[in-house]
Amino acid sequence: MASSTPLADLSAAGVSIWLDDLSRQRIESGNLASLIEESEVVGVTSNPTIFASAFAQADYYAEELDALAARGASVEGTIRELTTEDVRRACDVFRGVWQRTGGVDGRVSLEVDPGKAHDTEATVAEAADLWKTVDRPNLMIKIPATLEGIPAITRTLAEGISVNVTLIFSVERYRQVMDAFLAGMEQARANGHDLTSMASVASFFVSRVDSEVDKRLEALGSDAALNLRGTAAIANARLAYAAYLEVFGTERWAALQGAGAKPQRPLWASTGVKNKAYPDTLYVTELVAPNTVNTMPEATLEAFADHGELHGDAVSGTEDAAREVFAGLAHVGIDIDDVYLTLENEGVQKFADSWQELTDTVSEQLTRRSPEQA
């Protein structure tokens, strides 16, 4: 009998392992396919930061960039063509996983322009356009969970489009996301879409919560405050999972499930550990729970494959202990609502900055390759 591996054990515990990275290099080198075969990876996510990094490797896009420059393509059009092509190819790599899992996994996520995160109409329009352009059934469109993004989630799902909701930091906002999901699926059913073909995840960010809260605890400096470092993110995610179990135990959900809908799974995002004082597998080991997704940077994936440990379901039944953590944070003076607002604003801005970096990179590449420069 073959010995199990940490990643195989994690998968067996009900955690879908997704890679938080995508590039032409990964696709063409066969790296993405090998991660599926050897490392239990069953999905992949992308975002503007990931594409900005990928496009810095211009050699992998040289032929297309030459052709696009020759025909005078715009920077925006070039970005759209290159990103959707990478995602289309990745969808094809994951097609077998998508088929094997009945559409639960094998998903590839592509985010709308972060500059539209506070514009509902623009987000809905771009989501539909990206879905049509990529034209793959295992695509997911990423929509930020801003206040303006919430109705966009419902309207996008209503059109039969699978959605990855990103940048969720608070349980309160997560509940709004789940309600938007249920409403969207109800409308999709009313619109005649096949619910069995659709899927959704709710990307609940983890490490950034600890980074922001720990910074504030250290500024307070008391023993009581310092003793709470490294506790907020996991407690926050555990409360989110409790909310998930509650919402997906309702009659409202049961009616959709009876029509073939899949639950919107919690996805633990931002699981790379930023504080080197913490174990590098912290946000994997402590967030093992059935029917969840953990999207990992490659370094975290490799760390867990090397020395990851599982201690069973680490989340179910931990709601009371998690609430005690937040009571302690409030007691020492942490304004958790301000933490969430800060993180959401920073998250949108970081992706917008990465989009600008991506725009600048592509603009420079097109200029260098334009006929006028020949």
Side-chain angles (χ1 to χ4, degrees):
M1 180 177 176
S3 60
S4 64
T5 67
L7 291 173
D9 291 344
L10 183 63
S11 179
V15 179
S16 290
I17 302 167
W18 289 10
L19 178 70
D20 193 25
D21 193 47
L22 180 62
S23 68
R24 184 68 56 86
Q25 180 183 20
R26 283 194 186 278
I27 297 167
E28 293 189 348
S29 68
N31 169 266
L32 202 56
S34 69
L35 288 172
I36 295 171
E37 294 298 320
E38 302 168 9
S39 300
E40 305 288 335
V41 171
V42 292
V44 66
T45 55
S46 67
N47 60 46
T49 303
I50 286 169
F51 279 125
S53 176
F55 281 25
Q57 306 167 45
D59 289 350
Y60 285 90
Y61 301 91
E63 186 175 334
E64 284 166 280
L65 284 166
D66 286 341
L68 288 161
R71 72 173 194 240
S74 67
V75 172
E76 181 180 345
T78 298
I79 291 173
R80 173 63 58 90
E81 188 154 333
L82 296 180
T83 55
T84 55
E85 178 61 16
D86 277 3
V87 169
R88 187 180 299 112
R89 291 191 190 188
C91 284
D92 291 343
V93 173
F94 279 95
R95 187 67 175 255
V97 176
W98 175 77
Q99 292 172 329
R100 171 170 55 82
T101 62
V104 173
D105 285 309
R107 298 282 176 170
V108 181
S109 297
L110 175 61
E111 189 158 349
V112 297
D113 178 348
K116 300 172 181 174
H118 297 293
D119 186 332
T120 302
E121 295 299 328
T123 295
V124 171
E126 186 172 10
D129 185 55
L130 289 172
W131 180 260
K132 181 179 179 180
T133 300
V134 175
D135 192 26
R136 293 294 186 271
N138 51 331
L139 173 68
M140 276 185 169
I141 302 298
K142 290 179 80 171
I143 297 177
T146 58
L147 288 174
E148 298 82 2
I150 297 298
I153 294 161
T154 295
R155 289 172 56 184
T156 300
L157 286 163
E159 296 304 316
I161 297 171
S162 295
V163 173
N164 176 341
V165 185
T166 189
L167 289 177
I168 307 171
F169 295 99
S170 72
V171 176
E172 179 183 3
R173 183 60 55 83
Y174 178 40
R175 286 185 177 277
Q176 293 175 317
V177 166
M178 288 189 286
D179 186 67
F181 165 77
L182 294 173
M185 295 299 283
E186 288 163 349
Q187 291 179 29
R189 179 179 58 184
N191 290 339
H193 293 292
D194 177 11
L195 301 191
T196 65
S197 69
M198 298 174 64
S200 183
V201 293
S203 296
F204 203 86
F205 278 54
V206 183
S207 67
R208 294 189 195 181
V209 174
D210 269 345
S211 295
E212 181 64 25
V213 171
D214 285 2
K215 178 175 68 176
R216 299 184 185 207
L217 291 170
E218 287 165 3
L220 291 169
S222 67
D223 288 345
L226 296 178
N227 286 337
L228 287 167
R229 287 178 296 183
T231 62
I234 291 169
N236 200 40
R238 288 172 172 172
L239 288 175
Y241 190 76
Y244 157 75
L245 292 178
E246 176 190 328
V247 170
F248 287 91
T250 61
E251 291 184 6
R252 183 183 183 189
W253 163 245
L256 285 167
Q257 188 175 38
K262 303 175 182 66
Q264 182 188 58
R265 291 180 295 169
L267 180 153
W268 311 130
S270 184
T271 55
V273 175
K274 294 176 173 60
N275 187 333
K276 293 184 179 179
Y278 302 154
D280 56 2
T281 59
L282 178 68
Y283 303 124
V284 181
T285 300
E286 297 300 325
L287 292 177
V288 174
N291 210 33
T292 58
V293 179
N294 194 306
T295 181
M296 309 178 199
E298 189 169 28
T300 303
L301 181 73
E302 291 176 347
F304 198 85
D306 179 66
H307 52 266
E309 295 181 1
L310 265 72
H311 310 290
D313 183 343
V315 181
S316 302
T318 61
E319 183 178 3
D320 289 344
R323 292 192 186 284
E324 289 179 10
V325 169
F326 279 92
L329 291 169
H331 182 73
V332 299
I334 296 298
D335 183 346
I336 199 66
D337 289 333
D338 185 68
V339 167
Y340 297 143
L341 180 61
T342 297
L343 288 170
E344 180 178 306
N345 290 337
E346 285 183 352
V348 171
Q349 188 58 51
K350 284 177 181 177
F351 283 162
D353 290 346
S354 294
W355 191 266
Q356 186 59 52
E357 179 185 344
L358 176 60
T359 299
D360 292 343
T361 298
V362 170
S363 178
E364 188 272 332
Q365 290 290 339
L366 288 175
T367 299
R368 205 152 49 82
R369 290 171 159 83
S370 68
E372 289 81 3
Q373 297 296 317

